[in-house]
Amino acid sequence: MSDLGDFTDFDPDDEGDPPTDGGQETTTGTSDGASDGAVDDSTDAGQDTEAPTDTAADPETTATTAASGPQEGSDGFEAVEVSPAGVDSGLGVVSATEGLRISEDSQETELRAYVTVENRSAVRIGKYLLVPYPDGERLFCRITALEYAQEFRADDATEIHARRAMRQDGIDEQDFKFVATLEPVAVLYSEGGELKRRMTDRVPKPETAVREATDTGEIKTGLKIPAEGVFLGHLAVGGETVRTAAEPPTIDYRLKDDYADGDPLVFRHTLVAGGTGSGKTHTAKNVLRQYLADGRTYPVADENREASPCLVMFDPQDEYAQLHDDNPDIDDAFARRLEREGVAYGGVEDTVAFVPEVAGASYAASDHRAEQVAFTVPFSMVHDNPWLIAGSSLNGNQYNALKHLLGRFRRQHGGDATYRQFTSFLDDPALREELDETGRVHEATFNAVKRRALGFDGIFDQDARPITDLVHEFVRAGGVSVVPTYHINNSRSTATVVLALAALLVDQKLSNDPDYPRIEETPLVLGLDEAHNFLAEADSVQGERIIGKFTEAAKQGRKERLGLFLVTQDPQDIAEPVFKQVNTTVVLNLGDEDAISAVNIPPSLEQKVPYMEKGQMVVYSPDNSEPVELVGLPECLTDHE
Ligand SMILES: Nc1ncnc2c1ncn2[C@@H]1O[C@H](COP(=O)(O)OP(=O)(O)OP(=O)(O)O)[C@@H](O)[C@H]1O
Ligand SMILES: [Mg+2]
């Protein structure tokens, strides 16, 4: 660099700023304006001179020049000067021609790099680059735009130009400037031997060589990716994993999972959104599998110990009980790779399918070997959550009447009385009359409530153990409890079962005086596939209660160790208050515009979403890292069919 630097410093003065852009293309002293051939070669050589920065690429350029450029000799020293200095290869240099400014206001930031000819075909929007400062600090940035601009003032929109161009293979790159617009991400600096980042607070010098970031440490620091945590995938740009010289050459993206700096992100909630068949379940299983890794534990409230989390997964397609089984497609080589990278894989032995017993629905386990335990929802659970039988159309007045009726029923028949008893209780004309006469519940209201409440036959108190008797089996540290609902082909029954169980978990988790301390003391990940079916904004008492409960769960979950893990193809349908509590959003391919804008990710990620192939995802987790694009693992870490 130094030897060439001499020439760079020296040339402009020396040549007295020869024709056009002589300053930069020093060698063009040979008169640019001349014949085509001459221009080609001289500019080509010019690149070489400028290449103090590009040493690695230089020999190549030189070779090309030599091969195609009979005039090379006319440039004199260039060919010789260029080869030595063994510095990093670069893509080009920072250009101040159209402004060079780092500003507090990102709108006013102007940072561009001139990209040298041989690098042009390789640069891509999204790539990560480094621009060094003279004192060793580096500006870490991303390419946000690429453009060709004219090098020489010539009109290429003319007949003669077009005809000539059509006869040629490609263009004369030297006739154009190729400029990359860069977005500064962070300044990297070393302190006490450790690489750190800070906000972009200084401007790089013009003509500084710009190189691609290829060092794992620099990239991870630049993007603020935690070194430890839950593995989500490998860093990528445009669907290609970012490669480094290290082994492995890929960069693992992890989600913070300790208390060093706020609460683990699992308890600050995750959303996986993607269109049909985009790989949501595959991705969800791979992430969830990491939470079930040996040794992953979280402190237990008020106790001096740590516990593994329990995953409770509501499973509309009967896919998650396969978490129990190994994926037969994972071969030894892939397994070694996973081990090297600290990625947990293989079936989780302690996976149990809790099968809701619902009249008219029988469960035939599809392709999994997990144990099955049948359960029923006891009507007694409705006392804590009357909205479970409110249906979706009771108004406030009617809901109060329902609560009144339930209270009275409980006093008369006890807390364990059944749904059938409740229906005969409502069937009593004397009761209706009395309530009407005393002005407690108007007759019409009574009838409306009764109509609603009678539609739950076959759901409560079926022939299986009540879930409330099974809490110790259902919630197990380190275990997976899957609740398949595919066999229930009635959406109201499904919603009632799912919401009853979710409410039980949430209520107990958040209660100061829980009936089931087991729930309270076990770190819990509550997974909901097709979450839009349960958490849609609804204009009814029931809808309000559900959303209220989940919002509360999400807000308090942080400190109570309750993480929501929502999977959906219709993120736009998930109620805003719940949505707002989600810290980590993983987005797979989404085609629907409303869905894309609903996930609320930065525009740079948003525009990639419709083009992503299976396995590609973008992750927006502002408390974890800069927004990134990843490629997920091609194999599911447990069975997935
Ligand atoms: N990263 C990936 N690499 C290779 N194959 C994948 C990847 N992700 C998913 N697949 C495969 O694509 C298919 C669909 O994936 P998956 O079931 O996860 O999609 P989904 O979004 O959950 O679909 P649905 O909308 O039906 O629920 C599966 O066969 C899965 O194995
Ligand atoms: Mg799925």
Side-chain angles (χ1 to χ4, degrees):
M1 188 143 162
S2 52
D3 31 6
L4 283 163
D6 293 341
F7 284 114
T8 323
D9 290 342
F10 170 74
D11 278 333
D13 293 344
D14 187 40
E15 302 271 354
D17 239 0
T20 55
D21 307 64
Q24 209 176 14
E25 318 271 323
T26 35
T27 59
T28 51
T30 39
S31 91
D32 284 27
S35 82
D36 272 46
V39 169
D40 286 353
D41 293 323
S42 56
T43 14
D44 215 334
Q47 294 290 329
D48 292 346
T49 324
E50 168 203 359
T53 58
D54 279 3
T55 347
D58 288 338
E60 244 179 72
T61 321
T62 317
T64 327
T65 314
S68 65
Q71 305 235 332
E72 194 234 346
S74 71
D75 297 313
F77 50 75
E78 281 75 20
V80 186
E81 306 314 318
V82 168
S83 33
V87 206
D88 275 322
S89 63
L91 291 177
V93 295
V94 171
S95 156
T97 308
E98 290 173 66
L100 174 55
R101 179 193 298 124
I102 302 286
S103 167
E104 263 184 347
D105 177 355
S106 61
Q107 301 277 336
E108 292 192 355
T109 289
E110 290 191 64
L111 182 59
R112 290 181 196 81
Y114 173 91
V115 179
T116 52
V117 170
E118 67 274 20
N119 288 306
R120 293 178 180 180
S121 57
V123 290
R124 291 284 183 279
I125 287 182
K127 272 203 174 170
Y128 298 110
L129 304 181
L130 284 166
V131 186
Y133 296 101
D135 59 5
E137 294 195 346
R138 281 142 282 174
L139 181 63
F140 182 81
C141 35
R142 292 179 51 238
I143 301 180
T144 57
L146 293 169
E147 71 172 311
Y148 272 107
Q150 277 193 338
E151 174 74 275
F152 308 109
R153 234 166 283 252
D155 187 357
D156 60 5
T158 63
E159 188 64 19
I160 189 147
H161 219 107
R163 287 200 172 188
R164 194 189 303 155
M166 287 161 75
R167 284 198 301 270
Q168 286 173 347
D169 261 357
I171 56 160
D172 290 331
E173 286 287 339
Q174 292 79 11
D175 286 353
F176 298 90
K177 294 182 184 193
F178 188 98
V179 176
T181 305
L182 311 182
E183 173 196 57
V185 178
V187 171
L188 305 184
Y189 65 101
S190 298
E191 196 177 78
E194 200 187 329
L195 193 61
K196 298 195 163 172
R197 78 200 294 274
R198 63 168 196 269
M199 68 167 280
T200 52
D201 57 0
R202 58 187 300 201
V203 66
K205 280 192 192 300
E207 292 180 32
T208 306
V210 173
R211 66 177 171 85
E212 196 174 333
T214 53
D215 175 80
T216 311
E218 285 177 332
I219 296 174
K220 280 196 171 181
T221 307
L223 293 173
K224 204 161 67 77
I225 300 173
E228 314 252 302
V230 165
F231 176 86
L232 292 194
H234 292 116
L235 187 69
V237 171
E240 303 276 326
T241 51
V242 173
R243 298 264 148 183
T244 69
E247 185 47 49
T250 45
I251 297 180
D252 52 331
Y253 182 89
R254 289 171 187 274
L255 215 49
K256 232 182 282 173
D257 196 44
D258 55 43
Y259 285 86
D261 182 13
D263 298 290
L265 284 163
V266 61
F267 302 125
R268 296 164 70 184
H269 322 301
T270 312
L271 174 77
V272 176
T276 317
S278 60
K280 296 182 296 297
T281 306
H282 174 114
T283 305
K285 282 184 179 178
N286 282 358
V287 179
L288 292 169
R289 178 64 185 84
Q290 303 312 304
Y291 290 115
L292 300 156
D294 286 339
R296 191 171 293 289
T297 56
Y298 306 95
V300 173
D302 307 326
E303 283 180 54
N304 199 10
R305 65 181 179 99
E306 302 232 328
S308 303
C310 170
L311 166 65
V312 174
M313 189 73 211
F314 295 99
D315 180 12
Q317 299 292 335
D318 202 10
E319 300 171 297
Y320 287 90
Q322 290 176 345
L323 283 166
H324 177 269
D325 304 316
D326 289 344
N327 177 355
D329 295 338
I330 292 187
D331 59 23
D332 281 352
F334 193 70
R336 294 297 86 76
R337 199 184 124 194
L338 295 171
E339 280 159 22
R340 264 203 311 278
E341 289 202 55
V343 177
Y345 69 98
V348 178
E349 206 182 331
D350 188 8
T351 299
V352 179
F354 282 82
V355 181
E357 188 73 29
V358 170
S362 63
Y363 178 70
S366 71
D367 302 321
H368 71 79
R369 296 198 299 276
E371 182 195 347
Q372 297 169 39
V373 175
F375 74 92
T376 186
V377 177
F379 186 68
S380 58
M381 288 175 77
V382 171
H383 291 299
D384 285 335
N385 291 292
W387 50 266
L388 283 170
I389 55 165
S392 53
S393 62
L394 284 196
N395 64 30
N397 179 37
Q398 293 162 337
Y399 188 66
N400 285 336
L402 172 65
K403 287 203 293 192
H404 180 82
L405 289 167
L406 278 167
R408 182 157 172 156
F409 170 70
R410 187 179 187 163
R411 280 193 298 281
Q412 255 170 266
H413 298 270
D416 289 335
T418 63
Y419 178 68
R420 179 152 302 168
Q421 287 172 289
F422 184 61
T423 55
S424 28
F425 166 82
L426 290 181
D427 237 355
D428 178 6
L431 173 70
R432 180 174 53 200
E433 235 166 79
E434 181 214 313
L435 290 172
D436 191 50
E437 274 167 19
T438 55
R440 283 227 169 74
V441 178
H442 191 278
E443 188 175 336
T445 311
F446 184 97
N447 288 336
V449 170
K450 185 172 158 188
R451 255 196 324 275
R452 286 285 143 225
L454 291 189
F456 291 84
D457 258 338
I459 298 177
F460 298 105
D461 311 311
Q462 300 299 296
D463 186 17
R465 288 174 69 194
I467 192 71
T468 41
D469 288 358
L470 285 167
V471 168
H472 277 248
E473 283 99 319
F474 190 52
V475 177
R476 309 169 317 281
V480 180
S481 290
V482 177
V483 183
T485 54
Y486 186 70
H487 63 292
I488 310 174
N489 38 30
N490 170 320
S491 61
R492 167 189 282 196
S493 307
T494 302
T496 309
V497 169
V498 169
L499 293 169
L501 264 54
L504 172 72
L505 297 172
V506 168
D507 288 345
Q508 293 296 309
K509 243 327 179 190
L510 306 188
S511 163
N512 294 324
D513 180 22
D515 298 327
Y516 306 98
R518 166 60 77 95
I519 298 176
E520 160 88 38
E521 71 199 19
T522 311
L524 204 60
V525 179
L526 200 163
L528 211 51
D529 202 330
E530 308 204 347
H532 54 276
N533 286 338
F534 306 102
L535 300 179
E537 199 98 57
D539 197 12
S540 69
V541 179
Q542 180 173 39
E544 250 169 55
R545 297 296 144 114
I546 295 165
I547 298 312
K549 189 170 292 287
F550 272 87
T551 308
E552 197 56 23
K555 282 187 181 158
Q556 311 249 1
R558 253 175 114 128
K559 59 178 199 300
E560 303 293 344
R561 279 156 285 260
L562 168 63
L564 302 181
F565 194 97
L566 310 177
V567 181
T568 183
Q569 69 221 38
D570 294 318
Q572 69 280 20
D573 288 350
I574 292 188
E576 184 73 18
V578 178
F579 213 100
K580 276 213 247 153
Q581 300 300 323
V582 170
N583 255 264
T584 303
T585 309
V586 175
V587 186
L588 304 158
N589 180 293
L590 266 180
D592 185 276
E593 267 179 43
D594 290 342
I596 297 174
S597 61
V599 287
N600 209 7
I601 53 177
S604 61
L605 296 185
E606 205 173 88
Q607 48 131 342
K608 300 183 180 202
V609 166
Y611 300 100
M612 292 194 305
E613 314 249 328
K614 219 169 261 183
Q616 278 179 260
M617 55 179 121
V618 298
V619 176
Y620 183 51
S621 184
D623 291 338
N624 195 59
S625 74
E626 293 286 333
V628 292
E629 179 194 328
L630 306 182
V631 168
L633 291 174
E635 298 291 348
C636 205
L637 296 167
T638 67
D639 202 17
H640 179 57
E641 286 177 9

